[in-house]
Amino acid sequence: MAHHVIYIPGLADDKFGRLQHFAVGCWLLLGVRPHYYPMHWADKKPLGGKMKPLLELIDKLAASEGDKVSLVASSAGASVALLAYKQRAEQIEAVVCIAGAINGADEVNPLTYKANPAFKQSMSDLQDVLPELSPMERYRIMSMHPLKDETVAPRNTIIRGAREWLMPVSGHSLSIALGITLYSSAVMHFVKHHGQKEFIPVQ
């Protein structure tokens, strides 16, 4: 039995991919099997073509009896993780978003959307999907965000009914870096043990 954790990075996946890939690889020491899934946001390819291999990977990893699959994503990657989660909720144990771009689709710089059209589509699609998340599905999500963030406002990382963890730091890149390194043990604890706490619906 293995717990597979797929990490989906944000828009800087081509620039800082090696560093993030290395950090994620170290999660093996925390008792999970990490998988790095870069979106290559800036290649201008449509979202559907990027999502299909991700969904196929989830299906493949979940096919082994007793194995579990969770998603961890940062920044723009959070929008994709949540879209995949909604489509594969029965196969996914938990989702962790680190400084995730979730709400506030209209607050994103138009130039960012122009350079990363798949991100624009994922944010648009997510706004339709978020209201459809059930209370139990929300409960299996943890959103981590810093005190201040110049790129993704903390208010735009929050999902009603999801767990929320405020990191005592400021800055977008720093919060992501700490989320996948120093705080990775807390992230893995959530994905492995989230179901052990009693589910209490949000009123």
Side-chain angles (χ1 to χ4, degrees):
M1 289 175 39
H3 196 141
H4 301 274
V5 179
I6 302 172
Y7 175 70
I8 307 168
L11 300 183
D13 55 359
D14 288 332
K15 184 177 181 181
F16 300 110
R18 289 186 178 181
L19 293 175
Q20 293 187 80
H21 197 173
F22 175 79
V24 170
C26 293
W27 294 352
L28 189 65
L29 301 175
L30 300 175
V32 301
R33 293 188 184 178
H35 303 265
Y36 182 76
Y37 188 86
M39 291 293 290
H40 302 297
W41 294 99
D43 64 7
K44 309 291 185 178
K45 293 182 180 179
L47 179 64
K50 297 175 181 293
M51 288 284 298
K52 187 174 183 289
L54 174 60
L55 297 175
E56 291 174 345
L57 176 60
I58 294 170
D59 292 339
K60 178 182 177 181
L61 297 177
S64 297
E65 185 175 355
D67 282 10
K68 299 178 180 179
V69 180
S70 292
L71 304 178
V72 176
S74 61
S75 195
S79 60
V80 169
L82 291 168
L83 290 175
Y85 175 49
K86 185 58 181 176
Q87 294 185 55
R88 294 292 189 273
E90 293 185 0
Q91 289 123 296
I92 295 175
E93 290 288 308
V95 179
V96 176
C97 301
I98 305 171
I102 298 171
N103 302 297
D106 58 344
E107 297 178 27
V108 177
N109 190 318
L111 294 178
T112 299
Y113 278 154
K114 183 177 181 179
N116 307 276
F119 174 47
K120 181 178 181 179
Q121 187 63 55
S122 67
M123 284 295 285
S124 176
D125 291 351
L126 182 58
Q127 306 317 302
D128 295 328
V129 166
L130 283 175
E132 298 177 356
L133 292 173
S134 71
M136 188 63 215
E137 288 170 343
R138 293 166 183 266
Y139 189 72
R140 289 155 53 195
I141 300 170
M142 180 167 74
S143 176
M144 303 170 61
H145 63 80
L147 292 166
K148 295 181 180 179
D149 190 326
E150 74 286 356
T151 303
V152 178
R155 67 177 183 277
N156 289 332
T157 69
I158 297 173
I159 301 174
R160 177 174 170 77
R163 324 285 183 93
E164 183 184 351
W165 187 25
L166 177 63
M167 293 184 283
V169 298
S170 295
H172 190 66
S173 297
L174 177 60
S175 61
I176 293 172
L178 292 177
I180 63 175
T181 57
L182 183 63
Y183 296 143
S184 60
S185 59
V187 172
M188 294 309 122
H189 183 271
F190 176 77
V191 302
K192 290 191 290 185
H193 304 292
H194 74 281
Q196 294 184 3
K197 296 183 178 180
E198 181 183 1
F199 168 56
I200 304 175
V202 174
Q203 301 297 324

